Amino acid sequence: MDDQAAPCPPGRIWAFLGLVTLISLPFWLLARGQILPGLPVAALMVLCPAAAALALTAYDQGADGVRRLLARILDVQVMSGRSWLIPVLPFLVAILVFLILRAAGAQVPNPSVTAQGLALLLVLFLPGAVAEELGWTGYAMPPLTARFGTFGGGVLLGLVWAFWHYPALIAVGRAPAWIAWWTLGTVAMRLIMVQACRHAGLGLAGAILFHAASNLAWQLFPVQGSWFDPRLHGLLMAASALVLSAAWRRRA
């Protein structure tokens, strides 16, 4: 990814994280109920990273900076070759989790997918992925990786991303062990996205596709994600992150 295109000056990253936290508070404190099984109303805070990134970009660079940031949502031209396979990884991991559960004797039902249901999930998850990644990848990632390196910046951003979701997870009654394993998988996914942007030309559009695919793979898991196993998912995603990290480092 071209850091010169990034609108976030190094010192602004802390303002960004603080602003995201501030405007997320109403969703954390007031939102109740569920949009989908396991998806609380608090999940509407996905708009907050984009809002913070656009506000700070407008303050620092005006309308031109905002247009440049928004234009990167469609930067599919930076993706080439194998980088198109990265957004498929969440589906591959979900399939592997399903097969392992079946092999272990778990009575996991077969996935049930309809065209209408798939369209509804895409309408729900794709805009949310755009809003989140506009902030996390488009705005926050370049200064974090510049300061802490690709691996360190990826892990740090992954932890911030995971902690930011905790109020929503708690709102739907997730157990501490569930959250801990989910955190491992979430940090691993962020690390994959950051490294792919830095070493494999993933781009903001690719990060959006990866993010949407991860949410889609979870919700399509039987039954509406209720059989989703965060421990297996976390371990497999962490292993994928380490293998890809070693491969990209060797190539670099």
Side-chain angles (χ1 to χ4, degrees), residues 9 24 30 39 83 98 104 110 121 141-142 161 183 192 202 221:
S24 297
L30 302 176
L39 188 67
S83 64
F98 176 83
N110 289 323
L121 291 175
M141 187 200 76
W161 188 36
T183 299
I192 290 170
L202 188 65
F221 208 88

Side-chain angles (χ1 to χ4, degrees), residues 120-194:
L120 175 62
L121 291 175
L122 286 172
V123 168
L124 181 65
F125 288 139
L126 192 57
V130 170
E132 279 202 55
E133 294 311 318
L134 196 65
W136 302 129
T137 296
Y139 192 84
M141 187 200 76
L144 282 175
T145 54
R147 179 165 182 178
F148 299 103
T150 301
F151 192 92
V155 170
L156 179 57
L157 187 56
L159 288 171
V160 170
W161 188 36
F163 293 160
W164 180 70
H165 283 84
Y166 278 12
L169 296 176
I170 294 169
V172 294
R174 297 299 188 189
W178 194 102
I179 293 175
W181 286 113
W182 174 89
T183 299
L184 176 63
T186 298
V187 173
M189 286 194 296
R190 179 56 61 184
L191 182 58
I192 290 170
M193 282 190 280
V194 168

Side-chain angles (χ1 to χ4, degrees):
M1 176 173 289
D2 182 7
D3 287 352
Q4 298 302 317
C8 179
R12 279 288 188 218
I13 184 61
W14 310 116
F16 168 76
L17 296 178
L19 185 56
V20 169
T21 300
L22 180 64
I23 60 180
S24 297
L25 283 176
F27 297 99
W28 292 342
L29 298 176
L30 302 176
R32 293 292 183 271
Q34 297 188 36
I35 303 171
L36 291 171
L39 188 67
V41 174
L44 293 173
M45 67 184 186
V46 296
L47 301 173
C48 297
L54 291 171
L56 290 172
T57 301
Y59 181 82
D60 287 328
Q61 299 187 19
D64 287 342
V66 170
R67 282 193 291 269
R68 286 194 297 270
L69 178 57
L70 290 174
R72 292 176 58 203
I73 293 172
L74 300 176
D75 65 355
V76 291
Q77 71 277 4
V78 305
M79 298 178 65
S80 61
R82 295 177 182 177
S83 64
W84 283 98
L85 298 176
I86 307 278
V88 179
L89 182 61
F91 293 114
L92 298 179
V93 170
I95 292 170
L96 191 53
V97 170
F98 176 83
L99 294 176
I100 292 174
L101 288 174
R102 277 285 183 89
Q107 301 299 311
V108 187
N110 289 323
S112 178
V113 183
T114 65
Q116 287 182 333
L118 185 59
L120 175 62
L121 291 175
L122 286 172
V123 168
L124 181 65
F125 288 139
L126 192 57
V130 170
E132 279 202 55
E133 294 311 318
L134 196 65
W136 302 129
T137 296
Y139 192 84
M141 187 200 76
L144 282 175
T145 54
R147 179 165 182 178
F148 299 103
T150 301
F151 192 92
V155 170
L156 179 57
L157 187 56
L159 288 171
V160 170
W161 188 36
F163 293 160
W164 180 70
H165 283 84
Y166 278 12
L169 296 176
I170 294 169
V172 294
R174 297 299 188 189
W178 194 102
I179 293 175
W181 286 113
W182 174 89
T183 299
L184 176 63
T186 298
V187 173
M189 286 194 296
R190 179 56 61 184
L191 182 58
I192 290 170
M193 282 190 280
V194 168
Q195 293 189 119
C197 284
R198 299 291 296 175
H199 301 310
L202 188 65
L204 178 56
I208 289 169
L209 292 175
F210 186 103
H211 189 143
S214 68
N215 287 334
L216 192 59
W218 154 64
Q219 191 63 211
L220 291 177
F221 208 88
V223 174
Q224 292 180 304
S226 61
W227 279 87
F228 174 79
D229 188 319
R231 180 179 59 177
L232 281 175
H233 177 268
L235 291 171
L236 290 171
M237 199 59 77
S240 300
L242 292 175
V243 169
L244 289 172
S245 175
W248 282 323
R249 284 192 180 200
R250 189 162 52 245
R251 189 175 69 177

